[in-house]
Amino acid sequence: MNELNIVEILTFYGFSTLITLFAIMTIFAKKVLYSLIFAMMVFFCAGGLFFSLNADFNAVVQIALYGVAVPVLVLFAIMFTSEYENNQSFINFSPKFFITVVSSSILFMVLWYIVEYSIHL
């Protein structure tokens, strides 16, 4: 076995493990927003899995539709169905939420670039 096969196998099993862990965390999350974030990570890891299997179109569709569009739709549904009735309508996210989403996205892209760069060497 050469280094290319080892990297491909590690990438495949790494994404598979992450999908399993994030799916379990999605089920057992205490808050709906956390469950949504974990589900987004499942969709992004599934897209990474498709990229590692050289199914680029499926990966792009997986990330664009399920990783971005569906969670945005669910997030709007969560925001507009509040259990408390309030006359003021505003979005109030803490900066920690945005920092978490942006940093996890950057980390995912950097790790993916490292794996792809090492595969093409």
Side-chain angles (χ1 to χ4, degrees), residues 66-88:
Y66 295 112
V68 176
V70 172
V72 167
L73 180 68
V74 172
L75 183 65
F76 279 118
I78 291 170
M79 286 188 333
F80 290 131
T81 56
S82 175
E83 61 189 47
Y84 302 108
E85 199 160 321
N86 193 355
N87 292 337
Q88 294 178 346

Side-chain angles (χ1 to χ4, degrees), residues 16-86:
S16 301
T17 305
L18 286 175
I19 287 172
T20 306
L21 289 175
F22 283 127
I24 291 171
M25 291 168 68
T26 300
I27 293 169
F28 293 114
K30 298 273 187 205
K31 295 187 177 185
V32 179
L33 187 62
Y34 295 153
S35 180
L36 179 66
I37 291 171
F38 293 140
M40 284 176 58
M41 294 309 296
V42 168
F43 298 141
F44 278 111
C45 289
L49 188 67
F50 283 130
F51 271 124
S52 70
L53 295 173
N54 292 328
D56 295 335
F57 179 75
N58 291 343
V60 170
V61 169
Q62 177 76 27
I63 291 172
L65 252 56
Y66 295 112
V68 176
V70 172
V72 167
L73 180 68
V74 172
L75 183 65
F76 279 118
I78 291 170
M79 286 188 333
F80 290 131
T81 56
S82 175
E83 61 189 47
Y84 302 108
E85 199 160 321
N86 193 355

